[in-house]
Amino acid sequence: MDKDLLRELARKYALQNAVFFNGKANAGAVLGKIIADNPDSKNMVREVQLIAREETEKINNLTPSEQREMLTSIDPSLLEKKEKEQRKGLPELVNAINGKVVTRFPPEPNGYPHLGHAKAAIIDEGYARMYDGKFVLRFDDTNPTKEKKEYYEAILNGLKWLGIRPDKIKNTSDDMEKIYKYAEKLIDDGNAYVCFCKIEEMRRNRAAGVECKCREADAMTNKENWKLMFSKLMPSEAILRLKTNMQNVNTAVRDPTLFRIIAGEHPIQGKKYRVWPTYDFSVSIEDHIDGVTHSMRTKEYELRDELYFLLIKLLNLNKTELIEFSRLDMENAPLSKRKINPLIEQKLVGGWDDPRLPTLAGLRRRGILPEAIREFIMGLGVAKSEAVVKMEALESINKKILDPIANRYYFVVDPIRVEVKGAPDKIITDAKIHPDKDEVKSYELNGKDLYVYIAGDDAKDLRKDDNVRLMHLFNIKITKIGEKYMEADYAGNDKAAKKLHWTPANSVRAKIHIFGPVFLNEEFNKNSLTVKEGLLEPYGNNIKEGERIQFERVGYAILEDKKIMKFNLIHG
Ligand code: ATP
Ligand code: MG
């Protein structure tokens, strides 16, 4: 068997193995798969073994998202098993025909996507994949005053990061002409009218179940008024309403608004349109245009279901199955753009990607893995029950994935310098980068002029004459305690003594941002960000920007900016 081919195979299987098993491939499994799939490689097992080992090691040095990306580019079909596994949590759909299911995710580009959107998008895409169907990403962009180009991009980036791959991407605003046609059909059929009532009056009437004068106009008048809505001649209060039954028990169906006039520039359409459909109207039409078979949405829309089906009936649209699941609600985390926006406007947080926020951009900076989010969401499933979920649930999944792969380093916070006298020269060779990895962090220490750093918190507990052990090094006996420094004597080897973490003289200055909940008791938590300065062991110079590591005793962190050695704490 050709060696290059062998290496290519080893790389592919190592990637697949790593993606299935939390970022850590097993060389034995890779070897096994090569031999199972290529029986003629049996007579060169030694060589296969060596190559499998080398490739596995290379792949294990990549981050899980790099592994996923690489596998996607080499052979996306190898990802499938993982996706099938991840879909396990979804119950069967009614009336689902394999190959014919079409689902969609319809975000409004009026902010950055958050974990709630991740839930909806993962479920929507999951169902399309489960039935070998199609998944449509549809920007529900019919309110120009709130929407921005930046937000379309943010949604695309967020979904891409989660590994969600739409089969089609489109904008509701591209279908405006078609949507207008449906409006005209309603008007011609006497099912819609232009209303000039002031908004308060309309609300009052709706609550009281009272019909207004505008309702009496005939189809021709309504058509003329509708046309006028497109010109500046019409007052901007004019709206198009559906004519239903003002005494309907469901107030959401009492002559609801279908179109309103919104002046302002649309991020894609510019000033082309002035009359914009409401969510209720556009969703029915768009689901029809996109051939959606199973339409999923959150439970708060329940009262609007009747309207959705009424429009389908009046306009003779395809009937879809409507599936509802609960809105994701997390403790002390705002899962709604309405709640996140004020934090940004008041500059309480740094922006949509502030690591304290449950936005996808924030969670990404925080160091949460996209696969942890998928696992978390699939664990919640599509139940309608509304439970408040704790952020710790997501963190513990993330930790489970990181623990076997994240390299470990020593980092001392608020360092205190300790001078050690009378120590021998020493070479440390037994400090492993990770208990499951062979790589060691080795250090040469010169006994003369030796000093190390210990954490301020540890230093506080030390008294003169205390005998403590510097991990992997030797024991010291404290001889002098000063303001910001200490002195100690070399004290041999007593492994039973209390152990202290330390970093050597040429340590690297680093800082770590530690995040608390962004809300406490419904109010912004003023102490949600703490910055700690400290020293990182010199071996930490090898940490790559974007790499997730573990600081012993501090927690898991991601290196956000290598130039200034700034880390973000992911979780404890
Ligand atoms: P927000 O209050 O954040 O603006 P929204 O529902 O208005 O939320 P959209 O962009 O209109 O946001 O939503 C797109 C899809 O995402 C909708 O189908 C909606 O049901 C879903 N979604 C939004 N927030 C959540 C959430 N917290 N949990 C589950 N699904 C959500
Ligand atoms: Mg919305």
Side-chain angles (χ1 to χ4, degrees), residues 32-51:
K33 189 145 171 69
I34 296 176
I35 292 181
D37 291 359
N38 307 276
D40 60 331
S41 62
K42 240 190 241 147
N43 45 28
M44 49 189 292
V45 173
R46 276 259 165 107
E47 226 160 346
V48 182
Q49 189 172 34
L50 188 73
I51 291 178

Side-chain angles (χ1 to χ4, degrees), residues 462-486:
L462 292 179
R463 301 287 169 264
K464 192 165 174 291
D465 294 333
D466 277 356
N467 185 325
V468 287
R469 181 164 179 79
L470 299 174
M471 283 182 79
H472 300 285
L473 193 60
F474 42 58
N475 291 48
I476 55 170
K477 189 175 159 197
I478 307 297
T479 53
K480 190 168 171 188
I481 298 188
E483 187 66 31
K484 274 273 168 200
Y485 81 103
M486 288 187 184

Side-chain angles (χ1 to χ4, degrees), residues 108 110 301 337:
E108 182 180 0
N110 63 347
Y301 291 102
K337 287 170 273 187

